[in-house]
Amino acid sequence: MQEVPQAASETVEVVDGVHLTQLAAGEAMSVQHFHIEPGAAVPEHSHHHEQVGYVVTGTLTFEVDGEEFVVGPGDSYVVPGDEPHGAENRRDDPVSGIDVFSPPRTDPDWQD
């Protein structure tokens, strides 16, 4: 077993108001925490990783292939690999949750 203490995880603001913390990563999957401020958005992007997530607090609006999906506290979601998607916090409260990626997505390049 490998333990990853919270103190060992660095939080990065990848775009204005979008904070990601890479947590544990194994050979087949990785997990990250996200925190998205009110009005902040994750621009449309895609990656070969399947992404499964869970919203802990707040409400997040995804746009996938021209369709909107609203997920709130207790909701989970699946974004297939290579599916272009973006997300926005359109509410007045921050959104926080967890994403799991398979295969592991330990070093996303948000500058591209």
Side-chain angles (χ1 to χ4, degrees):
M1 183 176 132
Q2 176 187 2
E3 178 187 2
V4 181
Q6 183 178 1
S9 300
E10 179 184 1
T11 299
V12 177
E13 187 172 19
V14 294
V15 294
D16 287 343
V18 177
H19 308 269
L20 300 180
T21 306
Q22 294 293 329
L23 302 171
E27 291 183 27
M29 67 185 77
S30 63
V31 63
Q32 75 177 11
H33 177 265
F34 61 85
H35 178 89
I36 303 174
E37 296 293 333
V42 177
E44 184 178 83
H45 64 286
S46 65
H47 40 74
H48 69 276
H49 314 81
E50 180 177 47
Q51 178 178 347
V52 177
Y54 177 78
V55 176
V56 177
T57 62
T59 301
L60 194 57
T61 302
F62 281 88
E63 186 167 328
V64 181
D65 198 23
E67 188 174 353
E68 288 189 354
F69 299 88
V70 179
V71 292
D75 292 341
S76 57
Y77 52 88
V78 177
V79 180
D82 297 315
E83 179 100 80
H85 60 285
E88 183 178 3
N89 180 357
R90 298 179 180 169
R91 305 285 175 96
D92 294 330
D93 298 315
V95 178
S96 67
I98 298 291
D99 278 324
V100 177
F101 295 93
S102 180
R105 188 172 191 219
T106 57
D107 192 19
D109 188 355
W110 285 93
Q111 303 306 314
D112 290 346

